Amino acid sequence: MREPVGKRSSSVNSAFTSGCLLLLVLVADVAAGLLSLVLLVARGMSRGTDSARTAAGPPPADWAPVLCFGALSLAVGVTGAVLLRLGHRGLGTVQLVLCLVPAVWALSAWP
């Protein structure tokens, strides 16, 4: 049976939708990684200028690494869940395993 000329097949539409969502997932991971990188570099630069001052007490707890690595881990985990939901089992599993790396870094940086 021939398909109507004006209609696309559902597999083409689902492939297009899946490709767009994969691109969105990639952009979300890159944005989360760059945001974390910028925040950690800015924290490191401000820390270098603060070392010249002498403080009377202990320095306050530094939550920047915990928050950055936690946010990165959350972004990678959510995108891994989205990939699993789309049916990309291999990619989703790899994303969820890679989600553990920044989560461990966040827990190791806990003050």
Side-chain angles (χ1 to χ4, degrees):
M1 180 188 262
R2 298 181 70 189
E3 292 182 20
V5 176
K7 290 203 162 210
R8 289 187 183 180
S9 69
S10 63
S11 64
V12 172
N13 286 337
S14 70
F16 179 72
T17 303
S18 181
C20 287
L21 287 174
L22 285 173
L23 183 65
L24 183 66
V25 163
L26 177 66
V27 168
D29 281 346
V30 168
L34 287 177
L35 180 65
S36 295
L37 180 70
V38 166
L39 289 175
L40 289 174
V41 167
R43 178 194 60 104
M45 289 173 57
S46 70
R47 227 173 177 194
T49 59
D50 288 344
S51 63
R53 291 187 298 165
T54 58
D62 189 13
W63 290 96
V66 176
L67 294 175
C68 288
F69 290 133
L72 183 60
S73 177
L74 180 67
V76 172
V78 167
T79 55
V82 167
L83 287 171
L84 285 176
R85 180 83 174 142
L86 289 175
H88 299 283
R89 293 182 188 262
L91 292 172
T93 304
V94 169
Q95 280 287 108
L96 290 177
V97 170
L98 289 177
C99 168
L100 295 175
V101 173
V104 169
W105 284 344
L107 290 175
S108 68
W110 193 278

Coordinates of all heavy atoms in Angstrom, one line a residue:
M1 N 0.8 -1.2 0.0 CA 0.0 0.0 0.0 C 0.9 1.2 0.0 O 1.8 1.3 0.8 CB -0.9 0.0 1.2 CG -1.8 1.2 1.3 SD -2.7 1.3 2.8 CE -4.2 0.6 2.4
R2 N 0.6 2.2 -0.9 CA 1.4 3.4 -1.0 C 0.9 4.4 0.0 O -0.3 4.5 0.3 CB 1.2 3.9 -2.4 CG 1.8 2.9 -3.4 CD 1.7 3.5 -4.8 NE 2.7 4.6 -4.9 CZ 2.8 5.4 -5.9 NH1 1.9 5.3 -6.9 NH2 3.7 6.3 -5.9
E3 N 1.8 5.2 0.5 CA 1.5 6.3 1.5 C 1.1 7.5 0.7 O 1.5 7.7 -0.5 CB 2.7 6.6 2.3 CG 3.0 5.5 3.3 CD 4.2 5.9 4.2 OE1 4.4 7.2 4.3 OE2 4.8 5.1 4.7
P4 N 0.2 8.4 1.2 CA -0.1 9.6 0.6 C 1.1 10.5 0.4 O 2.1 10.4 1.2 CB -1.1 10.3 1.5 CG -1.6 9.2 2.4 CD -0.5 8.2 2.5
V5 N 1.1 11.2 -0.7 CA 2.3 12.0 -1.1 C 2.6 13.1 0.0 O 3.7 13.4 0.3 CB 2.1 12.6 -2.5 CG1 3.3 13.6 -2.8 CG2 1.9 11.6 -3.5
G6 N 1.6 13.7 0.5 CA 1.8 14.8 1.5 C 2.2 14.4 2.9 O 2.5 15.3 3.7
K7 N 2.1 13.1 3.2 CA 2.4 12.7 4.6 C 3.7 12.0 4.6 O 4.1 11.2 3.8 CB 1.3 11.8 5.0 CG 0.0 12.5 5.3 CD -0.8 11.6 6.3 CE -1.9 12.5 6.8 NZ -2.2 12.1 8.2
R8 N 4.5 12.2 5.7 CA 5.7 11.5 6.0 C 5.4 10.3 6.8 O 4.4 10.2 7.5 CB 6.7 12.4 6.8 CG 7.2 13.5 6.0 CD 8.3 14.1 6.9 NE 8.9 15.3 6.2 CZ 9.8 16.1 6.7 NH1 10.2 15.8 7.9 NH2 10.2 17.1 6.1
S9 N 6.3 9.3 6.8 CA 6.0 8.1 7.6 C 6.3 8.5 9.0 O 7.1 9.4 9.4 CB 6.9 7.0 7.1 OG 8.3 7.3 7.4
S10 N 5.8 7.7 9.9 CA 6.0 8.0 11.4 C 7.4 7.7 11.8 O 7.9 8.3 12.7 CB 5.0 7.1 12.2 OG 5.3 5.8 12.0
S11 N 8.1 6.8 11.1 CA 9.5 6.6 11.5 C 10.4 7.8 11.2 O 11.3 8.1 11.9 CB 10.0 5.3 10.8 OG 10.1 5.5 9.4
V12 N 10.1 8.5 10.1 CA 10.9 9.7 9.7 C 10.6 10.8 10.8 O 11.5 11.5 11.2 CB 10.5 10.2 8.3 CG1 11.2 11.5 8.1 CG2 11.0 9.2 7.3
N13 N 9.3 10.9 11.2 CA 9.0 11.9 12.2 C 9.6 11.6 13.5 O 10.1 12.5 14.2 CB 7.5 12.1 12.3 CG 6.9 12.8 11.2 OD1 7.5 13.6 10.5 ND2 5.6 12.5 10.9
S14 N 9.6 10.3 13.9 CA 10.2 10.0 15.2 C 11.7 10.1 15.2 O 12.3 10.4 16.2 CB 9.8 8.6 15.6 OG 10.4 7.6 14.8
A15 N 12.3 9.8 14.0 CA 13.8 10.0 13.9 C 14.2 11.4 14.0 O 15.2 11.8 14.6 CB 14.3 9.4 12.6
F16 N 13.4 12.3 13.4 CA 13.6 13.7 13.5 C 13.5 14.2 14.9 O 14.3 15.0 15.4 CB 12.7 14.5 12.5 CG 12.8 16.0 12.6 CD1 14.0 16.6 12.0 CD2 11.9 16.8 13.2 CE1 14.1 18.0 12.1 CE2 12.1 18.1 13.3 CZ 13.2 18.7 12.7
T17 N 12.4 13.8 15.5 CA 12.2 14.2 16.9 C 13.3 13.7 17.8 O 13.8 14.4 18.7 CB 10.8 13.7 17.4 OG1 9.8 14.1 16.6 CG2 10.5 14.1 18.8
S18 N 13.7 12.5 17.6 CA 14.7 11.9 18.4 C 16.1 12.6 18.2 O 16.8 12.9 19.2 CB 14.9 10.4 18.1 OG 15.9 9.8 18.9
G19 N 16.4 13.0 17.0 CA 17.6 13.7 16.7 C 17.6 15.1 17.3 O 18.6 15.5 17.9
C20 N 16.4 15.8 17.3 CA 16.3 17.1 17.9 C 16.5 17.0 19.4 O 17.2 17.8 20.1 CB 15.0 17.7 17.6 SG 14.9 18.3 15.9
L21 N 15.9 16.0 20.1 CA 16.1 15.8 21.5 C 17.5 15.4 21.9 O 18.0 15.9 22.9 CB 15.1 14.7 22.0 CG 13.6 15.2 22.0 CD1 12.7 14.1 22.4 CD2 13.5 16.4 23.0
L22 N 18.2 14.6 21.0 CA 19.6 14.3 21.3 C 20.4 15.6 21.2 O 21.3 15.7 22.0 CB 20.1 13.3 20.3 CG 19.6 11.8 20.5 CD1 20.1 10.9 19.4 CD2 20.1 11.3 21.9
L23 N 20.1 16.4 20.3 CA 20.9 17.7 20.2 C 20.6 18.6 21.4 O 21.5 19.2 21.9 CB 20.5 18.4 18.9 CG 21.2 19.7 18.6 CD1 22.7 19.5 18.4 CD2 20.6 20.4 17.4
L24 N 19.4 18.6 21.8 CA 19.0 19.4 23.0 C 19.8 18.8 24.3 O 20.3 19.6 25.1 CB 17.5 19.4 23.2 CG 17.0 20.2 24.4 CD1 17.2 21.6 24.2 CD2 15.5 19.9 24.6
V25 N 19.9 17.5 24.4 CA 20.6 16.9 25.5 C 22.0 17.2 25.4 O 22.6 17.6 26.5 CB 20.4 15.3 25.4 CG1 21.4 14.6 26.3 CG2 18.9 15.0 25.8
L26 N 22.6 17.2 24.3 CA 24.0 17.6 24.1 C 24.3 19.0 24.5 O 25.2 19.3 25.2 CB 24.5 17.3 22.7 CG 25.9 17.7 22.4 CD1 26.9 16.8 23.1 CD2 26.2 17.6 20.9
V27 N 23.4 19.9 24.1 CA 23.6 21.3 24.4 C 23.4 21.6 25.9 O 24.2 22.3 26.5 CB 22.5 22.2 23.6 CG1 22.4 23.6 24.1 CG2 22.9 22.2 22.1
A28 N 22.5 20.8 26.5 CA 22.3 21.0 28.0 C 23.5 20.5 28.8 O 23.9 21.2 29.7 CB 21.1 20.2 28.4
D29 N 24.1 19.4 28.3 CA 25.3 18.9 29.0 C 26.5 19.9 28.8 O 27.2 20.2 29.8 CB 25.7 17.5 28.5 CG 24.9 16.4 29.1 OD1 24.2 16.7 30.1 OD2 24.9 15.3 28.5
V30 N 26.7 20.4 27.6 CA 27.8 21.3 27.4 C 27.6 22.6 28.2 O 28.5 23.2 28.7 CB 27.9 21.6 25.9 CG1 28.8 22.8 25.6 CG2 28.4 20.3 25.2
A31 N 26.3 23.1 28.2 CA 26.0 24.3 28.9 C 26.3 24.1 30.4 O 26.9 25.0 31.1 CB 24.6 24.8 28.7
A32 N 25.9 23.0 31.0 CA 26.1 22.8 32.4 C 27.6 22.6 32.7 O 28.1 23.2 33.7 CB 25.4 21.5 32.9
G33 N 28.4 22.0 31.8 CA 29.8 21.9 32.0 C 30.5 23.2 31.9 O 31.4 23.5 32.7
L34 N 30.1 24.0 30.9 CA 30.8 25.3 30.8 C 30.5 26.3 32.0 O 31.3 27.0 32.4 CB 30.4 26.0 29.5 CG 31.0 25.4 28.2 CD1 30.5 26.1 27.0 CD2 32.5 25.5 28.3
L35 N 29.2 26.2 32.4 CA 28.8 27.0 33.6 C 29.6 26.6 34.8 O 30.1 27.5 35.6 CB 27.3 26.9 33.8 CG 26.8 27.7 35.0 CD1 27.0 29.2 34.7 CD2 25.3 27.4 35.3
S36 N 29.7 25.3 35.1 CA 30.5 24.9 36.2 C 32.0 25.3 36.1 O 32.6 25.7 37.0 CB 30.4 23.4 36.3 OG 29.1 23.0 36.6
L37 N 32.5 25.2 34.9 CA 33.9 25.5 34.6 C 34.1 27.0 34.9 O 35.1 27.4 35.6 CB 34.3 25.2 33.2 CG 35.8 25.5 32.8 CD1 36.7 24.6 33.6 CD2 35.9 25.4 31.3
V38 N 33.2 27.9 34.4 CA 33.4 29.3 34.6 C 33.3 29.7 36.1 O 34.1 30.5 36.6 CB 32.3 30.1 33.7 CG1 32.2 31.5 34.2 CG2 32.7 30.0 32.3
L39 N 32.3 29.1 36.8 CA 32.2 29.4 38.2 C 33.4 29.0 39.0 O 33.8 29.7 39.9 CB 30.9 28.8 38.7 CG 29.6 29.4 38.2 CD1 28.4 28.6 38.7 CD2 29.5 30.8 38.7
L40 N 33.9 27.8 38.7 CA 35.1 27.3 39.5 C 36.3 28.1 39.1 O 37.2 28.4 40.0 CB 35.3 25.8 39.2 CG 34.3 24.9 39.8 CD1 34.5 23.5 39.3 CD2 34.3 25.0 41.3
V41 N 36.5 28.5 37.9 CA 37.7 29.4 37.5 C 37.5 30.8 38.2 O 38.5 31.3 38.8 CB 37.8 29.5 36.0 CG1 38.7 30.6 35.6 CG2 38.2 28.2 35.4
A42 N 36.3 31.3 38.2 CA 36.1 32.6 38.9 C 36.4 32.5 40.4 O 37.0 33.4 41.0 CB 34.7 33.1 38.6
R43 N 36.0 31.4 41.0 CA 36.2 31.2 42.4 C 37.7 31.1 42.7 O 38.2 31.7 43.6 CB 35.5 30.0 42.9 CG 35.8 29.7 44.4 CD 35.3 28.3 44.8 NE 36.1 27.3 44.0 CZ 37.1 26.6 44.5 NH1 37.5 26.7 45.7 NH2 37.7 25.7 43.8
G44 N 38.4 30.4 41.8 CA 39.9 30.3 42.0 C 40.6 31.6 41.8 O 41.5 31.9 42.6
M45 N 40.1 32.4 40.9 CA 40.8 33.7 40.7 C 40.5 34.6 41.9 O 41.4 35.3 42.4 CB 40.3 34.3 39.4 CG 40.8 33.7 38.2 SD 40.1 34.2 36.7 CE 40.4 36.0 36.7
S46 N 39.3 34.6 42.4 CA 39.0 35.4 43.6 C 39.7 34.9 44.8 O 40.0 35.7 45.7 CB 37.5 35.5 43.8 OG 37.0 34.3 44.3
R47 N 39.9 33.6 44.9 CA 40.6 33.1 46.1 C 42.0 33.5 46.1 O 42.6 33.7 47.2 CB 40.5 31.6 46.0 CG 40.1 30.9 47.2 CD 40.0 29.5 47.0 NE 39.6 28.9 48.3 CZ 39.7 27.6 48.5 NH1 40.0 26.8 47.6 NH2 39.4 27.2 49.7
G48 N 42.6 33.7 45.0 CA 44.0 34.1 44.9 C 44.2 35.5 45.4 O 45.2 35.9 46.0
T49 N 43.2 36.4 45.1 CA 43.4 37.8 45.6 C 43.0 37.9 47.1 O 43.5 38.8 47.8 CB 42.4 38.7 44.8 OG1 41.1 38.2 44.9 CG2 42.8 38.7 43.3
D50 N 42.2 37.0 47.6 CA 41.8 37.0 49.0 C 42.9 36.5 49.9 O 42.9 36.7 51.1 CB 40.6 36.2 49.3 CG 39.3 36.9 48.7 OD1 39.4 38.1 48.4 OD2 38.3 36.2 48.6
S51 N 43.9 35.8 49.4 CA 44.9 35.2 50.2 C 45.9 36.3 50.8 O 46.6 36.0 51.8 CB 45.8 34.2 49.4 OG 46.4 34.8 48.4
A52 N 45.9 37.5 50.2 CA 46.7 38.5 50.7 C 46.2 39.1 52.0 O 47.0 39.6 52.8 CB 46.9 39.7 49.7
R53 N 44.9 39.0 52.2 CA 44.3 39.5 53.5 C 44.5 38.5 54.6 O 44.6 37.3 54.3 CB 42.8 39.7 53.3 CG 42.5 40.9 52.4 CD 41.0 41.2 52.4 NE 40.3 40.0 51.9 CZ 39.0 39.8 52.1 NH1 38.3 40.7 52.7 NH2 38.4 38.8 51.6
T54 N 44.7 38.9 55.8 CA 44.7 38.0 56.9 C 43.4 38.1 57.7 O 42.8 39.1 57.9 CB 45.9 38.5 57.9 OG1 45.6 39.8 58.3 CG2 47.2 38.4 57.2
A55 N 42.9 36.9 58.0 CA 41.7 36.8 58.7 C 41.9 36.4 60.1 O 42.8 35.7 60.5 CB 40.8 35.7 58.0
A56 N 41.0 36.9 61.0 CA 41.2 36.6 62.4 C 40.7 35.2 62.7 O 41.3 34.5 63.6 CB 40.3 37.6 63.2
G57 N 39.7 34.7 62.0 CA 39.2 33.3 62.3 C 39.4 32.4 61.1 O 40.1 32.7 60.1
P58 N 38.8 31.2 61.2 CA 39.0 30.3 60.1 C 38.2 30.8 58.9 O 37.2 31.5 59.0 CB 38.4 29.0 60.7 CG 37.5 29.4 61.7 CD 38.1 30.7 62.3
P59 N 38.6 30.4 57.7 CA 37.9 30.9 56.5 C 36.5 30.2 56.5 O 36.3 29.1 57.0 CB 38.7 30.4 55.4 CG 39.5 29.3 55.9 CD 39.7 29.6 57.4
P60 N 35.5 30.9 55.8 CA 34.2 30.3 55.7 C 34.2 29.0 54.8 O 35.1 28.9 54.0 CB 33.3 31.4 55.2 CG 34.3 32.3 54.5 CD 35.6 32.2 55.2
A61 N 33.2 28.2 55.0 CA 33.2 27.0 54.1 C 33.0 27.4 52.7 O 32.2 28.4 52.4 CB 32.0 26.1 54.6
D62 N 33.6 26.7 51.8 CA 33.5 27.0 50.4 C 32.6 26.0 49.7 O 32.9 24.8 49.5 CB 34.9 26.9 49.7 CG 34.9 27.4 48.3 OD1 33.9 28.0 47.9 OD2 35.9 27.2 47.6
W63 N 31.4 26.5 49.3 CA 30.4 25.6 48.8 C 30.4 25.6 47.3 O 29.6 24.9 46.6 CB 29.0 26.0 49.3 CG 28.8 25.7 50.7 CD1 29.0 26.6 51.8 CD2 28.4 24.5 51.3 NE1 28.7 25.9 53.0 CE2 28.4 24.6 52.7 CE3 28.2 23.2 50.8 CZ2 28.1 23.6 53.6 CZ3 27.8 22.2 51.6 CH2 27.8 22.4 53.0
A64 N 31.2 26.4 46.6 CA 31.2 26.5 45.2 C 31.5 25.1 44.5 O 30.8 24.8 43.6 CB 32.2 27.5 44.7
P65 N 32.5 24.4 44.9 CA 32.7 23.1 44.2 C 31.6 22.1 44.4 O 31.2 21.4 43.5 CB 34.0 22.6 44.8 CG 34.6 23.7 45.5 CD 33.6 24.7 45.8
V66 N 31.0 22.1 45.6 CA 29.9 21.2 45.9 C 28.7 21.5 45.0 O 28.1 20.7 44.3 CB 29.5 21.2 47.3 CG1 28.3 20.4 47.6 CG2 30.7 20.8 48.2
L67 N 28.4 22.8 44.9 CA 27.3 23.2 44.1 C 27.5 23.0 42.6 O 26.6 22.6 41.8 CB 26.9 24.7 44.3 CG 26.4 25.0 45.7 CD1 26.2 26.5 45.9 CD2 25.1 24.2 46.0
C68 N 28.7 23.3 42.1 CA 29.0 23.2 40.7 C 29.0 21.7 40.3 O 28.4 21.4 39.3 CB 30.4 23.8 40.4 SG 30.3 25.6 40.4
F69 N 29.7 20.9 41.0 CA 29.7 19.5 40.7 C 28.4 18.8 40.9 O 28.0 17.9 40.1 CB 30.8 18.7 41.4 CG 32.2 19.1 41.0 CD1 33.2 19.4 42.0 CD2 32.6 19.2 39.7 CE1 34.5 19.8 41.6 CE2 33.9 19.5 39.3 CZ 34.8 19.8 40.3
G70 N 27.7 19.3 41.9 CA 26.3 18.7 42.1 C 25.4 19.1 40.9 O 24.6 18.2 40.4
A71 N 25.4 20.3 40.5 CA 24.6 20.7 39.3 C 25.0 20.0 38.1 O 24.1 19.6 37.3 CB 24.7 22.3 39.1
L72 N 26.3 19.8 37.8 CA 26.7 19.1 36.7 C 26.3 17.6 36.7 O 25.8 17.1 35.7 CB 28.3 19.2 36.6 CG 28.9 18.5 35.4 CD1 28.4 19.2 34.1 CD2 30.4 18.6 35.4
S73 N 26.4 17.0 37.9 CA 25.9 15.7 38.0 C 24.4 15.6 37.8 O 23.9 14.6 37.2 CB 26.3 15.2 39.4 OG 25.8 13.9 39.6
L74 N 23.7 16.5 38.3 CA 22.2 16.5 38.1 C 21.9 16.7 36.6 O 21.0 16.0 36.1 CB 21.6 17.7 38.9 CG 20.1 17.8 38.8 CD1 19.4 16.6 39.4 CD2 19.6 19.1 39.4
A75 N 22.6 17.6 35.9 CA 22.3 17.8 34.5 C 22.6 16.5 33.7 O 21.8 16.1 32.8 CB 23.1 18.9 33.9
V76 N 23.7 15.9 34.0 CA 24.1 14.7 33.2 C 23.2 13.5 33.6 O 22.8 12.7 32.7 CB 25.6 14.3 33.6 CG1 25.9 12.9 33.0 CG2 26.5 15.3 33.0
G77 N 22.7 13.4 34.8 CA 21.8 12.4 35.2 C 20.4 12.6 34.5 O 19.8 11.6 34.1
V78 N 19.9 13.8 34.5 CA 18.6 14.1 33.8 C 18.7 13.8 32.3 O 17.8 13.2 31.8 CB 18.2 15.5 34.1 CG1 17.1 15.9 33.2 CG2 17.8 15.7 35.6
T79 N 19.8 14.2 31.7 CA 19.9 13.9 30.3 C 20.1 12.4 30.0 O 19.6 11.9 29.0 CB 21.1 14.6 29.7 OG1 22.3 14.3 30.4 CG2 20.9 16.1 29.7
G80 N 20.7 11.7 30.9 CA 20.7 10.2 30.8 C 19.4 9.6 31.0 O 19.0 8.7 30.2
A81 N 18.5 10.1 31.9 CA 17.2 9.6 32.0 C 16.3 9.9 30.8 O 15.5 9.1 30.3 CB 16.5 10.2 33.2
V82 N 16.6 11.1 30.2 CA 15.9 11.5 28.9 C 16.3 10.5 27.8 O 15.4 10.1 27.0 CB 16.1 13.0 28.6 CG1 15.7 13.3 27.2 CG2 15.4 13.9 29.6
L83 N 17.5 10.2 27.7 CA 18.0 9.3 26.7 C 17.4 7.9 26.9 O 17.0 7.2 25.9 CB 19.5 9.2 26.7 CG 20.2 10.4 26.1 CD1 21.7 10.3 26.4 CD2 20.0 10.5 24.6
L84 N 17.3 7.4 28.1 CA 16.7 6.2 28.4 C 15.2 6.2 28.0 O 14.6 5.3 27.5 CB 16.8 5.8 29.8 CG 18.2 5.3 30.3 CD1 18.2 5.0 31.8 CD2 18.6 4.0 29.5
R85 N 14.6 7.3 28.3 CA 13.1 7.5 28.0 C 12.9 7.5 26.5 O 11.9 7.0 26.0 CB 12.6 8.8 28.6 CG 11.2 9.1 28.3 CD 10.4 8.4 29.3 NE 9.0 8.8 29.1 CZ 8.0 8.0 29.2 NH1 8.1 6.8 29.6 NH2 6.8 8.5 29.0
L86 N 13.9 8.0 25.7 CA 13.8 8.0 24.2 C 14.1 6.7 23.6 O 13.8 6.5 22.4 CB 14.7 9.1 23.7 CG 14.4 10.5 23.9 CD1 15.5 11.4 23.4 CD2 13.1 10.9 23.2
G87 N 14.6 5.8 24.4 CA 14.9 4.4 23.9 C 16.3 4.2 23.5 O 16.6 3.2 22.9
H88 N 17.2 5.1 23.8 CA 18.6 5.0 23.6 C 19.2 4.4 24.8 O 19.8 5.1 25.6 CB 19.3 6.3 23.2 CG 18.7 6.9 22.0 ND1 19.0 6.5 20.7 CD2 17.8 7.9 21.8 CE1 18.4 7.2 19.8 NE2 17.6 8.1 20.5
R89 N 19.1 3.1 24.9 CA 19.6 2.4 26.2 C 21.1 2.5 26.4 O 21.5 2.7 27.5 CB 19.2 0.9 26.2 CG 17.7 0.8 26.2 CD 17.3 -0.7 26.3 NE 15.9 -0.9 26.2 CZ 15.1 -1.1 27.2 NH1 15.6 -1.1 28.4 NH2 13.8 -1.3 27.0
G90 N 21.9 2.3 25.4 CA 23.3 2.4 25.5 C 23.8 3.8 25.9 O 24.6 3.9 26.9
L91 N 23.3 4.8 25.2 CA 23.7 6.2 25.5 C 23.2 6.6 26.9 O 23.9 7.3 27.6 CB 23.2 7.1 24.5 CG 23.8 7.0 23.1 CD1 23.0 7.9 22.1 CD2 25.2 7.4 23.1
G92 N 22.0 6.2 27.2 CA 21.4 6.6 28.5 C 22.2 6.0 29.7 O 22.4 6.6 30.7
T93 N 22.6 4.7 29.5 CA 23.3 4.0 30.5 C 24.7 4.6 30.7 O 25.2 4.8 31.9 CB 23.5 2.5 30.2 OG1 22.2 2.0 30.0 CG2 24.2 1.7 31.3
V94 N 25.4 5.0 29.6 CA 26.7 5.6 29.7 C 26.5 7.0 30.4 O 27.4 7.3 31.3 CB 27.3 5.8 28.3 CG1 28.5 6.7 28.4 CG2 27.7 4.4 27.8
Q95 N 25.5 7.7 30.1 CA 25.3 9.0 30.7 C 25.1 8.9 32.2 O 25.6 9.6 33.0 CB 24.0 9.7 30.2 CG 24.2 10.4 28.9 CD 25.0 11.7 29.0 OE1 26.1 11.8 28.6 NE2 24.4 12.7 29.5
L96 N 24.3 7.9 32.6 CA 24.0 7.7 34.1 C 25.3 7.2 34.8 O 25.5 7.6 35.9 CB 22.9 6.7 34.3 CG 21.5 7.2 33.9 CD1 20.4 6.2 34.0 CD2 21.2 8.5 34.7
V97 N 26.1 6.4 34.1 CA 27.4 6.0 34.8 C 28.3 7.2 34.9 O 29.0 7.4 35.9 CB 28.0 4.8 34.0 CG1 29.4 4.6 34.4 CG2 27.2 3.6 34.1
L98 N 28.4 8.0 33.8 CA 29.2 9.2 33.9 C 28.7 10.2 34.9 O 29.4 11.1 35.3 CB 29.3 9.9 32.5 CG 30.2 9.1 31.5 CD1 30.1 9.8 30.1 CD2 31.6 8.9 32.0
C99 N 27.4 10.1 35.2 CA 26.8 11.0 36.2 C 27.5 10.8 37.6 O 27.5 11.7 38.4 CB 25.3 10.8 36.3 SG 24.5 11.5 37.7
L100 N 28.0 9.6 37.8 CA 28.6 9.3 39.1 C 29.9 10.1 39.3 O 30.3 10.3 40.5 CB 28.9 7.8 39.2 CG 27.6 6.9 39.2 CD1 28.0 5.5 39.2 CD2 26.7 7.3 40.4
V101 N 30.6 10.4 38.2 CA 31.9 11.0 38.4 C 31.8 12.4 39.1 O 32.5 12.7 40.1 CB 32.7 11.1 37.0 CG1 33.9 12.0 37.1 CG2 33.0 9.7 36.5
P102 N 31.0 13.3 38.5 CA 30.8 14.6 39.2 C 30.1 14.5 40.6 O 30.4 15.3 41.5 CB 30.0 15.5 38.3 CG 29.5 14.6 37.3 CD 30.3 13.4 37.3
A103 N 29.3 13.4 40.8 CA 28.7 13.2 42.1 C 29.7 12.9 43.1 O 29.7 13.4 44.2 CB 27.6 12.2 42.0
V104 N 30.7 12.0 42.7 CA 31.8 11.7 43.7 C 32.6 12.9 44.0 O 33.0 13.1 45.1 CB 32.6 10.5 43.1 CG1 33.9 10.3 43.9 CG2 31.7 9.2 43.1
W105 N 32.9 13.7 42.9 CA 33.7 14.9 43.2 C 32.9 15.9 44.1 O 33.6 16.5 44.9 CB 34.0 15.6 41.9 CG 35.1 15.0 41.0 CD1 36.0 14.1 41.5 CD2 35.3 15.2 39.7 NE1 36.8 13.7 40.4 CE2 36.4 14.4 39.3 CE3 34.7 16.0 38.7 CZ2 36.9 14.4 38.0 CZ3 35.3 16.0 37.4 CH2 36.3 15.2 37.1
A106 N 31.6 16.0 43.9 CA 30.8 16.9 44.8 C 30.9 16.4 46.2 O 31.0 17.2 47.2 CB 29.4 16.9 44.3
L107 N 30.8 15.1 46.4 CA 30.8 14.5 47.8 C 32.2 14.7 48.4 O 32.4 14.9 49.6 CB 30.4 13.1 47.8 CG 28.9 12.9 47.5 CD1 28.6 11.4 47.4 CD2 28.1 13.5 48.6
S108 N 33.3 14.6 47.6 CA 34.6 14.7 48.1 C 34.9 16.2 48.4 O 35.8 16.4 49.3 CB 35.6 14.2 47.1 OG 35.7 15.0 46.0
A109 N 34.3 17.1 47.8 CA 34.5 18.5 48.1 C 33.6 19.1 49.2 O 33.7 20.2 49.5 CB 34.2 19.3 46.8
W110 N 32.8 18.2 49.8 CA 31.9 18.6 50.8 C 32.7 19.1 52.0 O 33.6 18.4 52.5 CB 31.0 17.4 51.3 CG 29.9 17.8 52.1 CD1 29.9 18.0 53.4 CD2 28.5 18.0 51.7 NE1 28.6 18.3 53.9 CE2 27.8 18.3 52.8 CE3 27.9 18.0 50.5 CZ2 26.4 18.6 52.8 CZ3 26.5 18.2 50.4 CH2 25.8 18.5 51.6
P111 N 32.4 20.3 52.5 CA 33.3 20.9 53.6 C 33.0 20.2 54.9 O 32.0 19.7 55.3 CB 32.9 22.3 53.7 CG 31.7 22.6 52.8 CD 31.5 21.3 52.0

